[in-house]
Amino acid sequence: MNFRDLEYFVQLTEDRNYTKTAQHFAVSQPTITYAVKRLEAELGVPLFIRDQSHHQLDLTLAGQEFGEHAKAILQELVTAKADIVTLTQQKIRFGLPPIIGTYYFPQLAKRLIQQNLMSHLQTFEAGSATLQQQLQSGEIDVALLGTVDPIEMAQIKTITLAKTDFKIIVSPKHDLQQQTAIKFAELKKEPFITLKEGFVHPAAFRKLAAINHFEPQIAYTTPDINVLKGMVHENVGISFLTELALKDDQSVHTINLTDKNQPHFDIVLAYRPQVNPLMEKLIDELQQPINL
Amino acid sequence: MNFRDLEYFVQLTEDRNYTKTAQHFAVSQPTITYAVKRLEAELGVPLFIRDQSHHQLDLTLAGQEFGEHAKAILQELVTAKADIVTLTQQKIRFGLPPIIGTYYFPQLAKRLIQQNLMSHLQTFEAGSATLQQQLQSGEIDVALLGTVDPIEMAQIKTITLAKTDFKIIVSPKHDLQQQTAIKFAELKKEPFITLKEGFVHPAAFRKLAAINHFEPQIAYTTPDINVLKGMVHENVGISFLTELALKDDQSVHTINLTDKNQPHFDIVLAYRPQVNPLMEKLIDELQQPINL
DNA sequence: CTAACTTACGGTCTTCGTAACCATA
DNA sequence: TATGGTTACGAAGACCGTAAGTTAG
């Protein structure tokens, strides 16, 4: 059975005139005849009373009954299509800080594409602090955030996806290039290249400085991680970065910090709870373990 | 769009395995592939997540949504077919007295056939008195009844369809064959051929006799109208019949009765009121005017 | 004769099966 | 290599348009 035949039939129950219905669908009149015949053959009952003398086309009882069901079926199909369009057009406003976007998100992205979720994301790129505010004000729906301290926000649910350490990086030409671990306090004399970033690195850096009761010497501040790494490589100074941004990087030497109570760079999934299949699926997928 | 594709799809959402679904419908596996492709093309969205590393065939959100609608559509179709079968098999127990069946009903029958109603009738042939009882006891649903007096029955609705006169018939050889009207009292000396019929003719005959204070002479009683007419034709006696049974009959001569308060042969439609489209339609059709 | 539906016939688009192909475990 | 899905192609069938046929007014 064919949906087109049902449409012809339903229209015919309203027009009560084969010719008119044919014109309505811009098809030839016999097309309607055959559609009705197909339905009658499949159902095994006549749907119309074929009375030559009767100039008015009449439905049989079975025809009336079937007409109601046919309308319901067509309506259900229309609804189905409309619902799918709605689903397809649905967008999730997704906040992504640059560092996480560059070093963490790409591995998630592959999975999101496979699950047909990427096309639903409207990405907002901003620092974690800005994104926190936007999340709270409702400007975005979900965000991946980098944080030093646990996040507490009313109406916002948070899930920690990964905890990473901060590392000290130095040039291969630097004296420290043979060390694998060091205390922050030992770096009092070193000039630092720091990241001009919205939230996390400055906060962590200040925290470490406060714990160690000294004010590190800032040689230069850049918003670009590659510029920062380049300057460290050229031994303009040393720096302080999440290990996330250092994966497989051979241009600089990485040194662990041995400080107790040292800050960590946590990647947190934050969102406003919603009853929404698309959001649910996204939240679910973002929590899937990935290889850092 | 095709219902078959929907069936394939719904089954596939349960099987999560193209091959299994193909086997379920005894078709080749590519048939399922194409069915899904057709649906996806028509809806404009992927329904399944085509993950090369096929651990498990997964539905997209659109697929889940559409699956629900598809099930609803298929269920509606199943219901439609079941309802039509129920409608088709529905029977109305229909009481029909012999005289009305022979002389009145045939004209109705043509219309009932055109309206696809005849196949729903289960006819019970019996005298009007018997049918009245069966109607009241619920053994039949509708009846056409012949009556002399108005029918009063609890729970039974009655509609008079036609009023016909009783006539006197005589042989063409009989002395009265030149008369067109007569009083019943003038027939005291005549031998009557009477109808051995369930209810109406004997009752009417007794009523006329009572009004005229005499006991007519009964020459012979037969249950068969043609036998009766034959005997009248051969001048064995005269008789008394509803005009209904005399239409176009050339074998006997018909004489009107001039008595006041003479009984009439009423054709009454009687039924127990029901909320039932089929019954409604039958009652409606039976009331359509016909040419007597 | 006209209006309206049905039947006949031929062409075209759909659908399906076989078989070959591709990807993953 | 075995399992499971997709693509290619030819055959069968469904669908539709033109045109002719039928029936009632």
Side-chain angles (χ1 to χ4, degrees), chain A residues 96-106 128 144-146 244 265 267:
Chain A
L96 195 60
I99 290 180
I100 295 177
T102 307
Y103 296 101
Y104 184 85
F105 187 67
S128 289
L144 290 178
L145 300 176
L244 193 63
F265 184 95
I267 298 172

Side-chain angles (χ1 to χ4, degrees), chain A residues 69-118:
Chain A
H69 289 291
K71 278 182 200 165
I73 286 171
L74 293 177
Q75 183 52 53
E76 187 72 32
L77 184 62
V78 167
T79 308
K81 288 181 176 177
D83 285 357
I84 284 175
V85 167
T86 303
L87 255 186
T88 305
Q89 292 179 344
Q90 196 179 344
K91 291 287 181 194
I92 295 180
R93 295 163 302 173
F94 181 63
L96 195 60
I99 290 180
I100 295 177
T102 307
Y103 296 101
Y104 184 85
F105 187 67
Q107 287 136 302
L108 282 174
K110 187 188 170 198
R111 176 176 224 101
L112 296 184
I113 290 169
Q114 283 176 347
Q115 299 290 321
N116 282 81
L117 284 169
M118 275 305 270

Side-chain angles (χ1 to χ4, degrees), chain B residues 94 98 110 116 131 145 291:
Chain B
F94 181 62
K110 187 189 170 197
N116 284 79
L131 291 176
L145 300 176
N291 298 325

